[in-house]
Amino acid sequence: MSDTPKIVEMQVIPVAGYDSMLLNIAGAHHCYFTRILLVLKDNAGHTGVGEAPATGVVLKILNDAVPHIVGQEIGIMNQLVSDLHKRDLDENRQPKPVLPGFRPWDLERHHNAVAVLETALLDLMGQFLNQPVAQLLGPGKQRDEVPVLGYLFYIADRQKTDLDYLPGNAQAGQHPWYHLRHQEVMSHDKVVQLAEAAQDKYGFKDFKLKGGVQAGEVEIETVRALKKRFPQARITVDPNASWSLDQAISLCKDMHGILSYVEDPCGAEQGFSGRETLAEFKRATGLPVATNMIANDWRQMSHALQLNAIDIPLADPHYWSMRGANTIGTLCNAWGLTLGCHSNNHFDVSLAMLAHLGAAAPGEITPFDTHWIWQEGQHLTKNPLQIKEGKLALNGLPGLGVELDMDAVGIAHQRYNNLRQKDRDDAVAMQYLIRGWAFDGKRATLVR
């Protein structure tokens, strides 16, 4: 056995925070979003933490893992992560109910659980070695600051619901961003106003618009409005593959100099896979393509690269894991691709995960996605990283460099416990706007 600290405690803490009524292909974000904190303590007095999306599936996988983790040395972290992966696959390959009201086991949630265990172990190992997690990944720390983009959404009118959305506060002395992020934003001008506030607050150099909400022609005009207002910015749009191939080509073929790249403009259709349609889109438009939808495991990645379907893999450390996502970055650097990072609603532990992943990525990276600007202010750590001048800077501390604020964690945990619906379902809020609304991956949310 190695002479490294032993894990003496493992806590799995689901938490909830407030969200705005952000629109996407799946509907409208609920007023609450949920996450899981995995907290490991060792006998050297260190605390390691990771953050993951919250579902009943992830909770069950992690809680079942507790007796297999407690008592083990952090020196065998690779084996602990590998064992969880193998054990859960062996036990749950056949989908079956997990808990009443929760989704059945699925591979995505399995990877979320494995990734968050790896993150917490890396945090402990970094503290033991007195090194940041970025130094433990691939080639080690490559940069101290990581560029991030301004992630923009159309926002529905929360006042058409009876849900507990925060109203915002336009009081004197408070930055306008904190008010605007809770207000209705459906027009080009309103999106530009939102971008102006975000740039003033966080210094963004680049912007991404979440599409799949209005007609494609409307969303492209919003992109044009953003580029006109921010001519030096790199602008992209993500309709989550809701456009057909023909529509995507028609909308984007004349967007050179306006769109720097496009994220998942189209997907599977007429018997062709999303990898095949994205390859056709690239040939027809000449625009670079990013994805978090069609290259989400090594087999998919292999097919996507053979077809020359993508340029920017968005490797989310909550799915690929910290080390897996870093491996994607290493391959991108060797193969002439560019690493990016997918994001979902998250707290500040995930913000640190993104920062360390980006800090360790070799070569050029595209500015990472982050939802943090929509949650910023709901801190679960004592000194969260800050976005300044469009960048996240590491704080120089070992591990992830975060310390949980257990009072704030307790409040967020109680908020989670009070929720009736704990797994994410964007259709619930959307049905306040359109009665009987149901998800259709090939129809924009408001095009009904």
Side-chain angles (χ1 to χ4, degrees), residues 16 32 39 47 53 88 110 124 132 147 168-169 175 183 185 236 242 264 266 373 420 425 428-429 441 443:
Y32 299 106
V39 183
T47 299
D88 190 58
H110 162 85
L124 281 181
N169 190 337
H175 196 279
Q183 312 312 314
V185 174
T236 187
S242 61
D264 288 309
C266 50
I373 60 175
R420 293 182 180 178
D425 185 353
V428 173
R443 297 174 69 191

Side-chain angles (χ1 to χ4, degrees), residues 4-20:
T4 57
K6 288 186 177 181
I7 299 164
V8 296
E9 184 178 353
M10 174 173 168
Q11 293 176 282
V12 183
I13 309 174
V15 288
Y18 291 99
D19 201 359
S20 301

Side-chain angles (χ1 to χ4, degrees), residues 11 32 58 69 102 129 187 212 364:
Q11 293 176 282
Y32 299 106
V58 180
I69 304 300
F102 286 121
L129 297 174
S187 68
E364 293 187 12

Side-chain angles (χ1 to χ4, degrees), residues 189-229:
D189 290 345
K190 288 289 188 181
V191 173
V192 169
Q193 182 186 22
L194 196 66
E196 290 173 337
Q199 185 188 59
D200 185 72
K201 171 64 179 171
Y202 303 103
F204 293 122
K205 306 294 191 296
D206 306 288
F207 294 99
K208 167 180 167 177
L209 175 68
K210 174 61 78 175
V213 176
Q214 305 198 61
E217 293 77 8
V218 174
E219 294 176 352
I220 286 295
E221 287 307 308
T222 300
V223 168
R224 290 183 183 276
L226 285 167
K227 187 64 175 180
K228 182 178 180 180
R229 174 60 183 82

Side-chain angles (χ1 to χ4, degrees), residues 21 156-162 183:
M21 199 173 181
D157 183 358
R158 58 180 167 74
Q159 298 184 79
K160 293 181 179 179
T161 80
D162 57 4
Q183 312 312 314

Side-chain angles (χ1 to χ4, degrees), residues 63 71 78 94 97 122 133 170 204 208 214 229 241 261-264 319 332 359 413:
N63 280 316
N78 291 351
Q94 296 302 316
L122 282 168
V133 165
F204 293 122
K208 167 180 167 177
Q214 305 198 61
R229 174 60 183 82
Y261 62 95
V262 191
E263 181 178 339
D264 288 309
Y319 181 86
C332 284
H413 177 57

